[in-house]
Structure formats: C-alpha cells, structure tokens
Amino acid sequence: GDNHSTRSSLSIKLKVGDRVTRGPDWKWSNQDGGDGSCGTVKELKSNGWIEVVWDKGGKNLYRMNKNYQDLKLSSSIDPSILEESVRVISSLHTKLSVGDRVKRGRDWCYGSQDGGPGSIGTVIHVQNQFGWVFVEWDNGRTNRYRKGGPSGGYDLQIHEKCKDPIPGSYVVLSPNFKQFSDAEKGNLKLGDIGIVTNISGNRVKVKSSDGNTWNYDKQSIVTIRVRRVTTGDIVTVSEDFEKYLDSENGPLTHGDVAVVLEDDGSHGKSCKVIAKGKEWRYHRNALRLARRRKVSVGDSVALTFGLESFSEKQEGGLLPGDVGKILSIDKDTSICLVKSIKTDKILRYHEYLLEPINPRPRPGDSVMLTEHYKQFGDAAEGPLVRKEIGILMKDDESDKPFLVSACDKSFWYKEGAIQKVIENNQNWFEEVSVEEEEDDKSGGCVIQ
C-alpha cells in the first residue's frame, strides 16, 4: 500500500520541463548516459509513458504509472538553462564602456523607456564612482541606469561590445576625450565624424571631413556602428521621423532635402538644418543621408538645384548656372576638387552639392532643354521650350558655347541649359509643371 502511494505521488509530480534521473524500476541499461545522468521531461503521453531528452544526448519513452516508475525527480539544473544563466550573469557584470551596445538587464523597471523589449541602446557616458551608465536608446531617448556598485541593481546587460577601430571605421570623440594627450588640438569636435586611415600602437590616425588628419589616443575616440548624420551632410527625414520629439513640426517632409548647418554633439535635438527658409533642430536619428549623386572624375557639374545657398562661399566659386569639371574625389570624405569653367579656380565641394550635367552634346546632335534650364543664363529667351527638340549647330567651348537651331531661329545656350536627346529612351521627357505648360503655349515647333 505505501509503495503504491509513493509511486502515484511520483507520477503526479512530473510535468514537462521537470528534471529527472533513473527511478526504482529502471531497466534500460545506459540509455540515459550512465548511472547518475539526468534529463528533461519533454512530453507526457496519455498511456503513462513520458518522453525524456537526456543531457548526454538521445531521447526515449519511459514508464511512469502505478506499476512502474522508471524515473524520479532530480534537483539538477538543465545545462542549457545553466549556460544561459551564466551568460546573463556574465553580461550583467561585464564592465561597460562608452560605445557599448546594451539592452535591458535583470533589474529593469523603467517600462518602455528604451522602446520596448528587445530594444538596443548605446552607452554614451559612464560614472564608475557612482555606478551609473548613461544610454542613448535607438528610439532617441537618453537616460541613466544602474550598473551595480554604489548605485545597486543591474538595469542593463551587454548586447555587443564596442569594437576597436580599424582602418575604414567611422569614429567620434569620446565624452572624456580631453583627458587623453592632445586630442583637443585635433580637427574633430564633439559630435563630428571622422574615418580611421591608419593605426600604430595606441595611436589612431583619423581623417576629418575637411580632409585633414590627426593622431588620436585610441581611448579618446569611439567607434560608431554606422555612418551617422553630421554637419555639412545633405539629409532628408527618416522613415519614422515623426516619433522623435517635435520633428513633425519642422519644415522637412518625406522627399525634401536640407543641409545640416550644425551638429552640437549632444544626444537630443543636435542637428540644426535649414529648409524652405526655416531653421529647425532635429534629433540625429530623425534624419538620414540623402541619396548620393553619382559623380565621377571628369564629369561636368553644376551646383545642385535648390541647394546653391548652402555651398561654401569661395573666391571664384560656382554660382547658379556656372559649370565646373571634377578633377578628383576624396573617397573618404566625398570632397571633390572642381575646376570652374568660368574662372579657372580650383574649388572644394562636397559631392552632395554637385549635380552631374548630361554628356556634352556634339554638333549635329538633337538637343532639348534640361530640367533646370532657367538657371543657366538667358536660356528661357531662346526658341526652345520644354519637350521640344532642336539641332546643335556649333560648340565653340566658350562660356556660352552651344549654337542651337530651332523653329528657323538660332540661339546660343550655356552649358547646362541643354542636353542631348537619347534615342530609344522613352523616359527622357521630364514631367512638366502647369506653369511650364502655360509658358510653352507662347509658341514653338518640333524639328522633324
């Protein structure tokens, strides 16, 4: 009677996930991996059999009924759980550094401040003496959290350690960069982005956006995971920009572009842009780099339409309607050396500020007006109107080189005002605004 009662209680206690070892009626040799081996209950069968997965490999069915008890409960811990526990504890106690990627720890008690379960943030400052860590979450919020020590509690655990810089890495100054050697004398300011060009021992050579380099102590800089927005960039809003504080009230909407006038290096609304005549501060994550224009050495270029006012004022620099030729492009900083056709001056422009002009047409080519022809001299006064075709008669390579015949008239156009018509391309006509269509009604002809 007592034995039957004991067996019944054993069978009742077992459930999926329980840890088990050999019971009093074991008869299955070393199927479990040997005496003392443990396994985990995976499934309870309706006919009194229980499926067990053994720690040393393999699984099988075993009897657990009123007559036979092949198994009994074990106090051992599932090794996979133990391994995960060790990993979590290790990640909690890992020393955090600026640039480390972190997520919620075991003592998290701040709701959705981080953006929700699974969200990741970046350590931006560490106060070791007080046990606090400051984190900027990917949703744009910033706050401080406990990391053990005097503060108590582990609000965070490591997700990914900050990687050491390698040639080609993007870096920024660490918040405590002033403590290291002569980092203050370098070209980077807090918030600026540089690119690593060489590493020698503890010294890292970093090229800034102006093309200059400086050797920094490795501890004075932090590797960033991706190229982020900074001063001088041409930007548009990110897909989810509305979730960042006050961004929806700014001048930018999807499809608009602007220039970042200032990045103060803070972790809030750090980027000041100007668009549609209005200045506005955005969180860095509310902006993304505008699509790169494909310019190459040797291209004829003009200032990007709508962004001319953002280009750096240089003596003899390009004005709206002027054309230059790209002599070289720095692949690290995207700075182009451009020779002005008008002044022969060598100028420096970021490639975002340059718009390639179509391949130079030759005498005899069919030509049409470009999309922004009105900004190139007096092109609007010529016989060509949008969507109509003329014939290039002459190119004297002067400031106004193209003599075009259209509608029994000849007219000299500046480079950039006309483009070659590409045959067998059904998409070379641009959409024309209502205003342009009305202008076109003044008359015109198509050369057959």
Side-chain angles (χ1 to χ4, degrees):
D2 291 341
N3 189 43
H4 174 73
S5 175
T6 302
R7 291 175 185 273
S8 297
S9 65
L10 278 171
S11 62
I12 292 172
K13 288 180 181 178
L14 290 185
K15 60 185 181 296
V16 174
D18 277 347
R19 298 287 289 163
V20 294
T21 188
R22 294 181 180 184
D25 299 313
W26 180 265
K27 68 167 189 172
W28 309 105
S29 186
N30 288 328
Q31 202 175 80
D32 57 349
D35 191 19
S37 297
C38 297
T40 303
V41 175
K42 183 178 181 182
E43 187 177 355
L44 305 179
K45 302 292 185 179
S46 59
N47 56 2
W49 290 80
I50 292 181
E51 184 176 280
V52 175
V53 177
W54 298 105
D55 294 349
K56 294 186 178 181
K59 64 180 179 179
N60 222 317
L61 297 175
Y62 301 96
R63 303 167 298 175
M64 285 297 288
N65 52 51
K66 63 180 181 180
N67 297 317
Y68 300 102
Q69 305 287 334
D70 290 334
L71 307 169
K72 66 179 180 180
L73 282 169
S74 170
S75 59
S76 67
I77 300 174
D78 187 333
S80 62
I81 297 176
L82 180 61
E83 182 180 345
E84 175 66 11
S85 299
V86 170
R87 188 194 66 76
V88 170
I89 293 170
S90 176
S91 68
L92 289 171
H93 290 271
T94 298
K95 182 180 179 181
L96 294 178
S97 306
V98 172
D100 287 347
R101 300 281 284 168
V102 293
K103 57 186 178 181
R104 295 181 178 186
R106 73 180 185 196
D107 299 320
W108 179 265
C109 58
Y110 305 98
S112 296
Q113 195 176 88
D114 57 346
S119 297
I120 308 299
T122 303
V123 176
I124 59 174
H125 184 56
V126 178
Q127 287 184 332
N128 286 317
Q129 67 271 38
F130 302 116
W132 291 101
V133 173
F134 290 76
V135 175
E136 180 181 19
W137 298 103
D138 289 353
N139 67 0
R141 291 186 175 182
T142 301
N143 220 315
R144 68 175 187 173
Y145 303 94
R146 301 168 297 172
K147 60 177 286 290
S151 64
Y154 290 90
D155 296 330
L156 306 168
Q157 60 177 301
I158 195 73
H159 174 72
E160 181 183 20
K161 288 294 292 180
C162 179
K163 294 179 172 60
D164 284 338
I166 60 174
S169 297
Y170 290 112
V171 294
V172 294
L173 291 174
S174 65
N176 58 344
F177 73 97
K178 294 181 180 180
Q179 301 176 15
F180 300 98
S181 186
D182 53 356
E184 267 190 287
K185 299 177 182 178
N187 300 305
L188 292 181
K189 296 181 177 61
L190 201 60
D192 288 351
I193 297 173
I195 187 167
V196 175
T197 60
N198 189 45
I199 299 175
S200 179
N202 200 44
R203 304 294 287 179
V204 180
K205 181 179 283 188
V206 177
K207 181 186 286 188
S208 53
S209 60
D210 60 8
N212 294 315
T213 59
W214 190 262
N215 285 310
Y216 290 89
D217 187 291
K218 189 178 290 187
Q219 297 182 63
S220 68
I221 57 174
V222 176
T223 305
I224 56 177
R225 298 169 60 247
V226 293
R227 167 72 162 87
R228 72 188 190 193
V229 169
T230 190
T231 303
D233 284 338
I234 309 298
V235 296
T236 185
V237 289
S238 59
E239 293 298 322
D240 58 351
F241 79 100
E242 297 95 342
K243 78 179 186 181
Y244 296 97
L245 181 65
D246 215 20
S247 293
E248 69 276 10
N249 296 322
L252 287 177
T253 57
H254 290 295
D256 294 334
V257 293
V259 172
V260 179
L261 301 178
E262 176 185 288
D263 175 7
D264 64 15
S266 68
H267 298 279
K269 292 162 56 176
S270 64
C271 295
K272 181 168 73 174
V273 309
I274 183 168
K276 304 175 183 177
K278 185 177 182 179
E279 291 187 0
W280 197 263
R281 281 199 174 273
Y282 288 89
H283 190 283
R284 186 184 293 111
N285 292 346
L287 303 171
R288 64 176 176 83
L289 294 174
R291 183 170 296 174
R292 229 177 247 276
R293 298 188 179 276
K294 295 181 179 179
V295 294
S296 306
V297 173
D299 282 354
S300 293
V301 293
L303 293 178
T304 301
F305 181 72
L307 297 179
E308 302 93 335
S309 60
F310 302 129
S311 63
E312 181 184 353
K313 302 300 181 184
Q314 304 176 62
E315 183 180 352
L318 298 180
L319 298 173
D322 288 349
V323 176
K325 189 170 186 177
I326 295 181
L327 303 179
S328 67
I329 303 175
D330 187 314
K331 66 179 182 179
D332 293 331
T333 63
S334 299
I335 297 296
C336 302
L337 288 185
V338 178
K339 182 178 181 180
S340 169
I341 303 300
K342 183 178 181 179
T343 66
D344 279 340
K345 293 282 188 180
I346 307 299
L347 310 162
R348 289 167 53 88
Y349 292 101
H350 194 286
E351 68 172 326
Y352 282 112
L353 294 174
L354 300 174
E355 186 167 0
I357 295 173
N358 285 355
R360 192 180 187 90
R362 298 178 180 180
D365 285 342
S366 296
V367 294
M368 62 179 290
L369 293 173
T370 60
E371 182 179 2
H372 303 301
Y373 70 95
K374 290 181 180 180
Q375 66 174 310
F376 294 95
D378 56 354
E381 299 175 12
L384 279 178
V385 292
R386 289 284 283 158
K387 288 194 173 183
E388 295 187 354
I389 301 173
I391 299 295
L392 178 60
M393 307 302 295
K394 187 176 181 179
D395 176 5
D396 66 5
E397 299 186 357
S398 65
D399 182 51
K400 202 174 183 181
F402 298 129
L403 179 63
V404 175
S405 175
C407 301
D408 297 324
K409 295 180 181 179
S410 295
F411 192 85
W412 289 92
Y413 289 91
K414 294 189 70 171
E415 186 175 356
I418 64 169
Q419 60 185 323
K420 179 180 177 180
V421 174
I422 302 173
E423 296 180 1
N424 301 321
N425 184 349
Q426 301 301 313
N427 298 318
W428 53 264
F429 282 127
E430 300 285 346
E431 288 294 326
V432 182
S433 67
V434 173
E435 291 77 14
E436 287 178 321
E437 288 178 346
E438 290 176 351
D439 289 344
D440 291 349
K441 293 175 183 178
S442 60
C445 64
V446 177
I447 295 180
Q448 301 295 333

